[in-house]
Amino acid sequence: MFESAELEHRVDKKDFDAQVPQLRADLLDAQYDVLQAKRFPVIILVNGVDGAGKGETVNLLNSWMDPRHIDTHAFPPPSDEERERPPMWRFWRSLPPKGRVGIMFGNWYTDPIQGRVNGTFKTSELDQRLEEIVRFEKMLTDEGALLIKFWFHLSKNDQKKRLKALSKDPKQSWRVSEQDWWRYEHYDEYREVSEHALRHSSTGNAPWVVVDGFDERYRSLAVGRIVLDAMRRRLARPDSNLRIAAAPFQRPVPGENLLTALDMSKALAKKKYESELAEWQGRLNALCRDERFQGRSLIAVFEGNDAAGKGGTIRRITSALDARQYRIVPIAAPTEEERAQPYLWRFWRQVPRHGRVTIFDRSWYGRVLVERVEGFCGEADWMRAYAEINDFEDQLVRDGAVVAKFWLAISKDEQYRRFKEREDTRFKRFKITDEDWRNREKWDDYEQAVCDMVDRTSTEIAPWTLVPANDKNYARIHLLRTLCEHLERSLKKDPAKSGKKK
Amino acid sequence: MFESAELEHRVDKKDFDAQVPQLRADLLDAQYDVLQAKRFPVIILVNGVDGAGKGETVNLLNSWMDPRHIDTHAFPPPSDEERERPPMWRFWRSLPPKGRVGIMFGNWYTDPIQGRVNGTFKTSELDQRLEEIVRFEKMLTDEGALLIKFWFHLSKNDQKKRLKALSKDPKQSWRVSEQDWWRYEHYDEYREVSEHALRHSSTGNAPWVVVDGFDERYRSLAVGRIVLDAMRRRLARPDSNLRIAAAPFQRPVPGENLLTALDMSKALAKKKYESELAEWQGRLNALCRDERFQGRSLIAVFEGNDAAGKGGTIRRITSALDARQYRIVPIAAPTEEERAQPYLWRFWRQVPRHGRVTIFDRSWYGRVLVERVEGFCGEADWMRAYAEINDFEDQLVRDGAVVAKFWLAISKDEQYRRFKEREDTRFKRFKITDEDWRNREKWDDYEQAVCDMVDRTSTEIAPWTLVPANDKNYARIHLLRTLCEHLERSLKKDPAKSGKKK
């Protein structure tokens, strides 16, 4: 969930200065259009890791837009007036009216997350609060509000650096409190609880936007563009059609993404490959015959670029297993029977029993990849799919399944080379179709879809692994090793405790 | 929530026989249209109290429609195949495809409710299961499914009679198991848990329909008409507009309702009235000065027919209170400021502090009364409002508020008399407007809206009291007494335990 936000995106000063004037002008225009239309309020939530620029962002939005039409609210410990009312009362009285922008710096997420990290709340209490929040936000968006939820993220290391830098700077040291350092000490718990909270409260109508807080210029442009885009999209939409998702998915600022950040030069020599292959296949075999596996199952999901080598990799896995133990489920276009059911139905059918392995060669992620890119389903449908998929995997994991998901990535050039090779080799020709060439034309759209998919569905309970696969040897070993390690870790845990309901 | 379903509705044989042929023909037609369109599945959930006709209803639907296109599923204890998959797996594999009707006799509600009554689950676990169900059902309806959720109800007394009658009949005694008797013994817990479950899972898109199971003919006609109406409405709706609520609210069979069932002849002689008034006013005063009230608050909601005497009754309450302690909030059309916010906003503003009393002269129920009847908001909006209102009151109660809601009912004739009197009396003339006369023309629509409101929002934590108010003396005393008793009961309870989150 935080993978993209740890890429340390940067924007250099020249680029930044060149882009800001137009962005500010556009933001102001949009703000005035919202004000004049008086059709909906804009509610911006500012949450995240300390030192990731939350406060600065609040100031930025106030300086880039007209602050006279912005209500900024921070929420210190409740007043006695507030303590004698339900906890949501203070937020209700701070809601911006239609036409205005409300920035909620600290909000209904703050207490539940903080309380869980402190240990004041149990996970079940956190879940109850989150459930109430989901219902509350559904009401807000059903009432027409534009709700933009920002989560500012920093890696643990970057947080430390940032807090240190701020402390040393006499002009800024006031920004760092003892509480900030306490939270830094508890970074790992905080991250786990936050991921849990984000996963359970990211819905089609009110998704979270995780922003890389590492570089101020990047962060500012990203926030500005996301707010602008969200306002424009909501203005363009009639109030009668609220099913369309509220928040945008456009890459806010061009630059590195999870896929381009992969080191595609990774390779493994043949000899080393062979010895490692034997070792990891042996490990996998042993794990799947382990006594503890009898009450568990393994669900491995393979996605990747066309010609990335999914088939070959899958064969390297299955050759380590007893044929009675596994099934490969290739996913093509749905059958008529499958089209007559909710899209997850055909995957539910294939859920393995305990002690079994199911390998999905493509999967339910088609909904947010090919169906999104090709327009086979509407925006509202793929937007809600992320939460539905997380719910699905959550149920699998709580029932004891180990869910491992792999994206096999090759470069555009390498794909071209492989396509050509397939065309030129008689026995490989069946593997290449016109559709492959057509998909290739939408390379950028797919890349965006993959990054969004990982951002929204890579979770602690069912993580994605992105595998650089220009070199098949490297890809296979990297994947096998990751799979074994994930399986090993999971077998050590009580399945009842690895799901969301602790 | 079960009030309407305890009226012991009946349909006589002649009426029944006259109506059935047409209903069956219409049901078959609708079923074939659904089958041909293949646009959506029809999923019918059958739940409720034992002996209330669940099994008979399943058989009935199969005999009134074409059973070749119906999938009926009962869910006995899970098979080993099922036990080794997530709990929802068995339901996924039983979902009907588009075009078909699936009847789920026992379903995803059965285990959670039963488990809570047994004590296997804690309330927090029940809530987690319900939350998952709400997400699952949202997915189903987002995917286009028509979901009809029936809850068959019987009062405790009627259940006992019914189980006894079945046991004595040699042809039917097999219908009654020991488990049925066990559940009868636990009727009260079962009712409480069921109400809780229904309240938390009744959403705009998948509302519960509570059916009075007392009389077989009434029950059959009601179910038939509701299914027919739901299918027709769904067929008429384009798949692209799923925001419209899925289930109908038409009164399925004409007959008694909660309002017509009131005994409007209730009256109280003046002398008796005066002594009782003094007594109950004293009680109320004492309760509001009680030490335990310092951490609580009282929110009293007054709704009723025009000219039913709300104002006079409210004055009898406030004259028992210290003027510094209470506020009366009269609700008229929203101001411009209020219209710029979610509709509940203006009521949140008026939530009292601890130790205080707020009396709402009309309330948030306007959303499902006047706004619904006059078309001031869309169907999808008032349909979701029931759940939003229940959430709101749940928050109030958990924070310590005592929420009491009163509907003052007068007969149509009595209203006419009072309107005329107002017109003829100079100092009362300000109380009557053309709008009052216009509202009167929609008497039946309002009656329907009031019954739906009580069915959907009268809960254990915030019950409705319907007050026959043709005689003002009776109405005032009845209301004051109910209010005092409710307040007294609530003060005995720990507020933290009276809300939904135990």
Side-chain angles (χ1 to χ4, degrees), chain A residues 81 85-86 89 92 95 98 132 135 143 339-342 345 348 351 353 367 384 391 398-399, chain B residues 81 85-86 89 92 95 98 132 135 142-143 340-342 345 348 351 353 367 384 391 398-399:
Chain A
E81 275 271 316
R85 266 105 174 182
W89 188 74
W92 271 92
L95 289 178
K98 289 174 185 169
E132 285 168 31
R135 293 166 81 108
E143 291 276 313
R339 281 198 307 275
Q341 294 280 2
W345 182 80
W348 269 100
V351 168
R353 297 183 68 157
R367 186 75 165 187
R384 68 177 157 84
D391 284 348
R398 270 188 292 145
D399 189 55
Chain B
E81 275 271 315
R85 267 105 173 182
W89 188 75
W92 272 91
L95 290 178
K98 289 174 186 168
E132 285 168 32
R135 292 167 83 108
D142 277 346
E143 290 276 315
Q341 295 280 2
W345 183 80
W348 269 99
V351 169
R353 297 183 68 157
R367 187 73 164 186
R384 67 178 158 83
D391 284 348
R398 271 187 293 146
D399 189 55

Side-chain angles (χ1 to χ4, degrees), chain B residues 344-386:
Chain B
L344 281 172
W345 183 80
R346 59 188 181 131
F347 307 105
W348 269 99
R349 298 175 83 176
Q350 307 290 355
V351 169
R353 297 183 68 157
H354 290 166
R356 305 291 173 87
V357 176
T358 299
I359 294 170
F360 287 92
D361 184 353
R362 303 202 185 275
S363 69
W364 44 95
Y365 285 98
R367 187 73 164 186
V368 295
L369 295 172
V370 58
E371 290 192 48
R372 165 184 172 176
V373 173
E374 304 295 336
F376 297 156
C377 69
E379 188 184 52
D381 294 320
W382 59 259
M383 277 290 285
R384 67 178 158 83
Y386 298 106

Side-chain angles (χ1 to χ4, degrees), chain A residues 113-166:
Chain A
I113 291 178
Q114 195 57 49
R116 180 70 197 103
V117 177
N118 288 346
T120 325
F121 292 159
K122 286 181 291 187
T123 300
S124 64
E125 287 167 299
L126 172 63
D127 284 347
Q128 287 175 335
R129 297 288 286 263
L130 291 172
E131 179 209 351
E132 285 168 31
I133 287 173
V134 167
R135 293 166 81 108
F136 172 67
E137 292 182 349
K138 179 176 183 301
M139 181 279 303
L140 285 180
T141 55
D142 276 346
E143 291 276 313
L146 171 59
L147 182 59
I148 309 176
K149 309 193 307 199
F150 283 117
W151 186 270
F152 293 91
H153 183 77
L154 273 185
S155 70
K156 188 171 185 178
N157 207 18
D158 287 336
Q159 188 186 26
K160 190 175 182 180
K161 280 190 216 154
R162 173 107 174 119
L163 291 178
K164 275 199 172 162
L166 286 173

